[in-house]
Each structure stands twice: as C-alpha cells, then as structure tokens.
C-alpha cells in the first residue's frame, strides 16, 4: 500500500521503516527540515537499535522523507498521524499538533478521489479521534468521515530501546474505526500473520492504549510503595520480597514438563526510583485528567502518580542517611536516559535526582553511556563525565538511576578505589556484597 506517516519521531520513524520492510511504499513527513534532510541522508535523528540499517535499506526505493504533507497525502491511500501529544500543566494532553496535522491532511484530501484512511497512532485520550480529528478533517476537506474518507485509531505499543523489534514482532494489533478503515488496516498488516488483531471502535482502541500503560505504572508504584514501607519498618529487603512474590503461580507458571515460565510483567514488580520516559508519566496523568474532566476522578491512578513523583527523593534520603549532610560531598549520578538502550531523557527520574542533589549543596557529576553532555546544559553546576571510570574515581557516593548494562562493571571499577565510594543502587541491579559499601531502594 502507499502510506504517508506524519511526524518522524520515535513512533513515526519506526512505523515508517517497519512498513517499508513489510513491503509498503512509505513517505515520511515532518515539519522539522533538519530531520527530513537527515533522514534523506540515511541518518536516523534518534538512537534505536536496528533503525539505521532498515532506513538505509529502503531509502530511495520504498521510503523517502519530505516536508510536503499535501503531496505525500495525496499520493497515498492511508495516512498515519504520529505527532507528539505533550502534557499540559494540569496533566491533560495538548492535542494541538494532532489537530493541526488533521487539518492539513483534510486540506490535502479536499482535491483527491477515492477512499483514504486517516489513522491516529499518536496516543490520544479516549474520545479524541471522534471529537478532534474527525471534525478537523471534515472541516478542511469539505468531505464526510465514514463516507468519503475514514478515521481510525491504531495505538502504538513499542518500547523505546527495542522499538524496531517491537514493531516487526508485535504482540497485538489494536485497530479502531469504521468498517472500511478497519479493512484498510487489516490489509496493511496482512504481513503479520498469526498476530492477534483487536478490531473495535475508535474510543475503545484509544482506551486500550491508556489502560495498558496505566496497569504497568500501577505495578511499578505498588512495588515502590511496598519497598518504602519495608525501609521504614526496617530489616526487610524489597528485592527478596519481590522474589517471593514473583514465585506465585500467577507470575511464574509451572509447565507440564517441570520447567517454569516467568511473566515479563514481573519486571514491573521491582522496586526502583520510579518510572519515566515519554509515555507512562504522561499517559497516567492524561487519563487521570480525562477522569476529572468527565466527573469520574481516578483515585488509584492519582495515587500511582503521587508515589512516582516522590520516588526520586528516596535516593537522596538514602544518601543523607548514609553520608550525613551533603554540602561539599562528591556524588556521581549514573544514567540520564529514562531506561537502558535508549537516548530518550524525557521525564527521566535522573533530573529530579540531579536537581535535589544540587539544591543540597553536593558536587554533582553525571555519566551516561549514550546520552551526551547537552542533556545537562542549563542545569548549572553539574559535571558530565564521558567515561565511567573517570565518573566514579573521586566520588564519595555513586547513585545508579538507569539500569544500563555497563554499570555491571562497577564492582570491578570500585574495587580498585581507595577509599571505595558508597553505591546507592536505585535499580537494585548489583549484588549487595559485590561492592564494599552498598545500599539500595527497599533495603
Ligand atoms: P516525537 O516528539 O519524538 O515526534 C513527533 C514528531 O512530529 C516531531 O518530529 C515533530 O517535528 C513532528 N510534527 C509535529 N507536528 C507536525 C506536523 N503538523 N506535520 C509533520 N510533522 C509534525 O514524538 P514520539 O515520541 O514519536 O510520540 C508521538 C506520539 O506517539 C505521542 O502521542 C506519544 O505519546 C505516542 N507514543 C510514543 C511512544 C514512545 O515510546 N515514544 C510509544 C507509543 C506511543
């Protein structure tokens, strides 16, 4: 099929190269001319494993990038909206980029013949495609949705860091919309044989995305709350608590051949310094805001967000408990990305940790194996260290915020230092006895 993808961020670009790999002819559109130029040189503007080879394989044949939305839409059968939906201060999402894209797509459809499917892939709160996208497209096209063109929803479940793999091997495909739009989406994804498809209406598809992320965020805050209570009571190790919880047959299922299989959900039931990234915090806040808007406050999700907001401060509390007053203390924060294998720093718990440390008067150094020094521009007195050994060598304490595999080298690096720094493990990724001085969340 001929497909236009509006917005070439994490979601749009991965969708575009993935669809090209499936055999479709794809035009990426972005308002950012530098991104478009980089893409046309075969350079992905983001770091994602496997993205660059796919981009370079299809560029110039089944894939190209442009800023000309009207021509790209007019030359396609199906257009994805993959633009950002940032948070507003009250937690609700700003759908103005989605609305602007829908208006431009509608204007392009005004002079086209034949059925065209407009698909919302951006994460939008239930009701948005009916209440915002449909009227915007109808107004500027002068045509009727459901008759002349279709509006559909196809939420994206990719995980940054493994986005290409997630796209190419989806666990489910959720599609919402009218019958013709659903048929177009089934044809588009026909190459994913055997993958369960959930066909439904647009608001239900929108809700599936939010319910999925809200469930994961709830698991994380639940685990953090149990860990915090364990710390307050004393003598309880949250990592061991969770190991015991995970052995429940609901999470670790015994198979008939005597082996067991552990549900990947278990990884969300681990104590840590909180969830971050561009999705979980934003999606939880947006669903809670939607609840307030329709007079059904989501008390559980409001609490999930509250627990998460307070979690980074727990690391600084641990430092104070072990080191005493922090002014003048040399503290190294390890990790800026919100999770390993990505360069995305959006809503990373590292930033509140850095801010609290700076306020405390500590001398702060930060390291990340992938994220560059520009991420800490404007943060004031924070030193960026490109090398892990340099980052830890003069530290009084080292605080692990991101579970980068690289940090498994810490016991070896720290073993050579005299005196060795305290390790505060915000991810409980190291063995307690692997370094001379260790504490962690939920100990
Ligand atoms: P992003 O900010 O990385 O990319 C959005 C892109 O859209 C930018 O390049 C921007 O220049 C472009 N853009 C904005 N308005 C445009 C317009 N009118 N025409 C053309 N281009 C335009 O965003 P993202 O992380 O890819 O997220 C996009 C959506 O997908 C959001 O709703 C997000 O919540 C959702 N989502 C993100 C992820 C993720 O892991 N990043 C996963 C699932 C869903």
């Amino acid at each position: 099929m001929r497909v236009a993808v509006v917005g070439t961020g994490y979601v749009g670009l991965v969708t575009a190269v993935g669809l090209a790999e499936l055999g479709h002819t794809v035009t990426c559109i972005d308002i950012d001319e530098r991104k478009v130029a980089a893409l046309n040189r075969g350079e992905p503007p983001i770091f994602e494993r496997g993205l660059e080879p796919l981009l370079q394989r299809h560029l110039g044949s089944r894939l190209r990038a442009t800023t000309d939305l009207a021509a790209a839409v007019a030359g396609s059968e199906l257009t994805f909206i993959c633009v950002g939906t940032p948070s507003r201060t009250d937690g609700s999402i700003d759908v103005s980029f989605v609305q602007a894209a829908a208006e431009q797509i509608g204007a392009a459809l005004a002079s086209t013949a034949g059925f065209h499917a407009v698909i919302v892939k951006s994460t939008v709160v239930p009701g948005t495609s009916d209440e915002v996208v449909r009227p915007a497209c109808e107004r500027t096209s002068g045509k009727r949705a459901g008759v002349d063109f279709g509006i559909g929803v196809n939420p994206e479940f990719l995980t940054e860091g493994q986005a290409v793999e997630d796209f190419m091997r989806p666990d489910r495909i959720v599609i919402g919309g009218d019958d013709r739009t659903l048929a177009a989406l089934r044809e588009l994804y026909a190459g994913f044989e055997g993958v369960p498809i959930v066909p439904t209406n647009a608001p239900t598809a929108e809700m599936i995305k939010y319910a999925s992320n809200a469930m994961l965020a709830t698991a994380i805050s639940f685990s953090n709350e149990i860990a915090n209570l364990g710390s307050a009571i004393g003598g309880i190790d949250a990592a061991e608590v969770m190991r015991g919880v995970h052995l429940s047959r609901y999470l670790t299922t015994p198979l008939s051949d005597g082996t067991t299989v552990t549900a990947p959900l278990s990884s969300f039931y681990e104590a840590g310094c909180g969830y971050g990234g561009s999705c979980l915090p934003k999606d939880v806040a947006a669903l809670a805001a939607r609840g307030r808007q329709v007079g059904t406050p989501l008390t559980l999700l409001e609490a999930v967000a509250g627990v998460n907001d307070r979690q980074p401060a727990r690391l600084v509390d641990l430092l104070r408990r072990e080191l005493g007053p922090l002014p003048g203390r040399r503290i190294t924060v390890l990790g800026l990305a919100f999770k390993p294998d990505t360069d995305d720093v959006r809503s990373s718990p590292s930033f509140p940790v850095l801010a609290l440390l700076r306020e405390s008067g500590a001398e702060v150094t930060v390291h990340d194996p992938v994220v560059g020094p520009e991420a800490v521009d404007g943060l004031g007195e924070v030193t960026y260290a490109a090398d892990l050994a340099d980052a830890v060598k003069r530290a009084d304490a080292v605080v692990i915020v991101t579970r980068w595999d690289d940090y498994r080298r810490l016991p070896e690096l720290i073993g050579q230092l005299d005196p060795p720094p305290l390790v505060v493990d915000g991810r409980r990724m190291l063995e307690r006895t692997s370094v001379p001085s260790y504490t962690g969340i939920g100990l």
Side-chain angles (χ1 to χ4, degrees):
M1 292 176 87
R2 284 169 291 118
V3 184
V5 177
V6 182
T8 60
Y10 284 85
V11 168
L13 186 53
V14 170
T15 301
V17 298
L19 290 174
E21 180 74 3
L22 275 180
H24 301 294
T25 303
V26 186
T27 308
C28 304
I29 303 115
D30 208 289
I31 42 175
D32 185 335
E33 288 176 11
R34 280 173 314 171
K35 277 191 186 175
V36 169
L39 287 175
N40 282 325
R41 289 194 303 270
E43 297 164 12
I46 51 165
F47 171 81
E48 268 301 331
R49 213 175 25 227
L51 184 60
E52 193 164 351
L54 278 197
L55 171 65
Q56 293 176 354
R57 182 183 307 164
H58 298 298
L59 192 67
S61 52
R62 290 208 288 266
L63 187 68
R64 67 188 189 93
T66 178
T67 53
D68 187 349
L69 181 143
V73 170
S76 305
E77 300 150 80
L78 191 145
T79 297
F80 277 105
I81 299 179
C82 301
V83 300
T85 45
S87 274
R88 293 194 289 219
T89 44
D90 66 351
S92 64
I93 48 164
D94 175 358
V95 291
S96 60
F97 297 105
V98 171
Q99 182 169 355
E103 283 167 356
Q104 292 163 34
I105 293 164
L109 294 179
S111 51
T112 57
F115 187 79
H116 191 104
V118 180
I119 311 296
V120 181
K121 211 178 222 324
S122 299
T123 303
V124 292
V125 291
T128 307
S129 51
D130 281 344
E131 292 162 24
V132 176
V133 178
R134 174 190 300 267
C137 284
E138 287 187 330
R139 197 169 52 247
T140 52
S141 66
K143 296 181 172 179
R144 278 175 309 156
V147 180
D148 307 309
F149 66 91
I151 299 283
V153 173
N154 171 219
E156 182 52 61
F157 297 98
L158 63 79
T159 306
E160 285 181 24
Q162 53 184 63
V164 175
E165 198 185 322
D166 282 354
F167 186 90
M168 294 313 299
R169 296 179 52 215
D171 48 6
R172 70 204 125 155
I173 297 173
V174 174
I175 53 176
D178 57 79
D179 288 347
R180 282 171 86 183
T181 304
L182 293 185
L185 283 167
R186 279 184 189 278
E187 186 187 339
L188 185 78
Y189 290 125
F192 288 137
E193 228 174 294
V195 176
I197 294 192
V198 186
T200 182
N201 62 26
T204 305
E206 290 164 337
M207 184 62 111
I208 289 172
K209 171 69 188 175
Y210 277 96
S212 302
N213 275 354
M215 179 187 71
L216 300 179
T218 303
I220 293 170
S221 280
F222 165 77
S223 310
N224 285 336
E225 196 147 67
I226 293 289
N228 296 341
L229 179 62
S231 293
I233 296 170
I236 295 172
D237 181 346
E240 284 174 25
V241 171
M242 285 310 168
R243 216 166 292 141
V245 171
H246 289 165
L247 286 172
S248 143
R249 69 185 70 253
Y250 300 118
L251 290 170
T252 303
T253 310
L255 303 179
S256 53
D257 64 1
T259 59
T260 55
V261 55
T262 301
L265 178 66
S266 292
S267 65
F268 292 86
Y269 285 107
E270 303 281 2
C273 46
Y275 57 80
S278 63
C279 291
L280 291 194
K282 177 167 84 93
D283 293 353
V284 168
L287 198 58
R290 186 69 167 150
R292 291 193 299 273
Q293 193 192 17
V294 298
T296 306
L298 303 177
T299 42
L300 176 63
L301 281 192
E302 305 271 7
V304 163
V307 170
N308 197 61
D309 289 345
R310 291 187 291 277
Q311 204 62 12
R314 300 267 165 190
L315 285 179
V316 182
D317 291 346
L318 282 177
L319 276 169
R320 278 209 186 87
R321 193 180 74 190
E322 301 293 325
L323 296 183
L326 295 179
R329 294 300 211 140
R330 293 184 299 259
I331 313 292
T332 294
V333 173
L334 295 182
L336 280 164
F338 83 92
K339 54 171 278 192
D341 299 324
T342 177
D343 63 348
D344 195 344
V345 298
R346 290 179 282 185
S347 299
S348 168
S350 306
F351 292 95
V353 170
L354 290 172
L356 289 167
L357 287 174
R358 284 192 45 247
E359 276 166 31
S360 74
E363 275 181 41
V364 189
T365 297
V366 68
H367 168 273
D368 191 284
V370 167
V371 179
E374 62 286 348
V376 291
D377 277 357
L379 285 192
E381 297 283 296
V382 173
T383 306
Y384 177 89
D387 179 73
L388 182 58
D390 284 347
V392 301
K393 75 179 172 208
R394 290 179 57 248
D396 294 314
V398 167
V399 184
I400 303 175
V401 179
T402 313
R403 192 189 283 270
W404 282 108
D405 227 25
D406 203 21
Y407 299 152
R408 299 205 182 276
R409 292 198 287 133
L410 279 174
E412 185 198 328
L413 291 174
I414 283 173
Q416 299 161 7
L417 301 176
D418 187 22
L422 165 73
V423 173
V424 178
D425 191 346
R427 295 294 172 188
R428 297 300 303 273
M429 64 181 282
L430 298 183
E431 285 297 326
R432 288 163 65 169
T433 51
S434 64
V435 288
S437 177
Y438 178 93
T439 187
I441 287 281
L443 257 187

